[in-house]
Amino acid sequence: MSETKVALVTGANKGIGYEIAAGLGALGYRVGVGARDRVRLDTAVEKLRAAGADAFGVPLDVTGDRSVTDAADLFEREAGRLDVLVNNAGISGPPTGSGWEQDPTLLDLDVVRAVVETNVIGVFRVTNAMLPLLRRSPSPRIVNASSSVGSLTWQTDPGIDVGPIMAAYSPTKSFLNAVTVHYARQFAGTNILINAACPGLVATDFNGNFGSRTPVEGAATAIRLATLPDGGPTGSFFNDDGVIPW
Ligand code: NAP
């Protein structure tokens, strides 16, 4: 089996996911670039290769059963195993008014369903499809792209500014955090480490490029968790400063 470690980053055609792929590529990982749009995928792969990364394209819509099983089949053929899975793809859903806010009393339930489908069900779908490949790695790592807005401790602390109410998006990250804990429990006693990462407030298309951090900075915690040594933490939630309370 090749010594080169292999990674898959979902939603890697732009933003933080692209920089996670670039960062892992710079560390010598062979990187599967997951993206749902063929043109955006090819453009990102070309750019990563031009920067020296060993990147290949993985057409992948995390909301599609067939798309995800096809991606696992492609990975099987391309690499035969997976060392790192970064579940980065995510959406916020539209606001209920003119600003950022998603007022829970006004939300269209189809929006709630769509955000849960991508941010949570998509993580189950991709993780479970990739698990047979991950189990072939000597040190599998899974990183779930979460957010501090998913911290119920911080959401309920009146001393912390957690920004506007985003009642479709934020609960999906709390849900994802809980899912991360349960996968970690299931993986107890194995070599698989799974953690949730908050990138901070990063300027990307996700938030209309509002944010004080760059995508490279936002990628750092995910890259650290993707490259944890054996015996490292699992079932936890981190940002650049350390552990975030649930
Ligand atoms: P972004 O620039 O909007 O990128 C999101 C990525 O996810 C894009 O590649 C997008 O693909 C992809 N995606 C969305 N739905 C998908 C689907 N169904 N299947 C496959 N890919 C899909 O956002 P970002 O800021 O980099 O966010 C990345 C992650 O970080 C998200 O999970 C987000 O919740 C989290 N996060 C971001 C911030 C922040 O401040 N930016 C803060 C906390 C957490 P398309 O190009 O095809 O749309």
Side-chain angles (χ1 to χ4, degrees):
M1 191 177 278
S2 164
E3 291 293 302
T4 304
K5 290 196 170 183
V6 192
L8 170 63
V9 185
T10 69
N13 56 289
K14 66 177 181 180
I16 299 164
Y18 176 87
E19 293 300 344
I20 295 169
L24 290 172
L27 290 172
Y29 284 69
R30 183 152 191 249
V31 186
V33 179
R36 58 183 165 172
D37 177 90
R38 189 75 228 195
V39 174
R40 290 196 287 273
L41 172 60
D42 290 345
T43 305
V45 169
E46 273 168 36
K47 210 171 136 194
L48 286 162
R49 283 186 182 156
D54 182 1
F56 62 97
V58 184
L60 176 56
D61 182 335
V62 302
T63 65
D65 290 337
R66 182 66 194 270
S67 175
V68 171
T69 52
D70 284 353
D73 289 347
L74 186 151
F75 236 90
E76 176 79 63
R77 292 193 302 275
E78 275 283 338
R81 76 159 200 268
L82 185 59
D83 298 283
V84 166
L85 169 62
V86 183
N87 287 306
N88 166 79
I91 58 170
S92 61
T96 47
S98 56
W100 289 101
E101 192 170 73
Q102 291 173 329
D103 176 339
T105 68
L106 299 176
L107 269 170
D108 177 342
L109 296 188
D110 284 338
V111 167
V112 178
R113 283 190 195 94
V115 184
V116 171
E117 184 66 42
T118 300
N119 295 3
V120 183
I121 312 286
V123 172
F124 277 110
R125 186 179 284 115
V126 174
T127 303
N128 292 350
M130 296 296 163
L131 206 48
L133 291 153
L134 282 159
R135 289 196 194 277
R136 289 184 205 149
S137 168
S139 304
R141 304 290 176 256
I142 303 171
V143 183
N144 292 333
S146 186
S147 170
S148 59
V149 301
S151 167
L152 296 177
T153 304
W154 285 1
Q155 286 286 340
T156 52
D157 183 339
I160 294 180
D161 177 9
V162 286
I165 294 170
M166 295 192 70
Y169 174 67
S170 301
T172 66
K173 296 303 186 181
S174 309
F175 191 170
L176 179 60
N177 287 347
V179 166
T180 305
V181 166
H182 286 279
Y183 270 99
R185 288 189 60 200
Q186 189 63 42
F187 294 149
T190 76
N191 49 4
I192 306 176
L193 304 180
I194 179 167
N195 291 287
C198 171
L201 188 55
V202 178
T204 64
D205 289 349
F206 191 83
N207 49 27
N209 287 293
F210 173 85
S212 53
R213 289 163 63 80
T214 66
V216 170
E217 289 170 328
T221 293
I223 292 169
R224 185 174 72 74
L225 296 174
T227 57
L228 283 172
D230 289 341
T234 191
S236 198
F237 182 24
F238 294 92
N239 65 10
D240 282 1
D241 298 328
V243 173
I244 301 178
W246 301 116

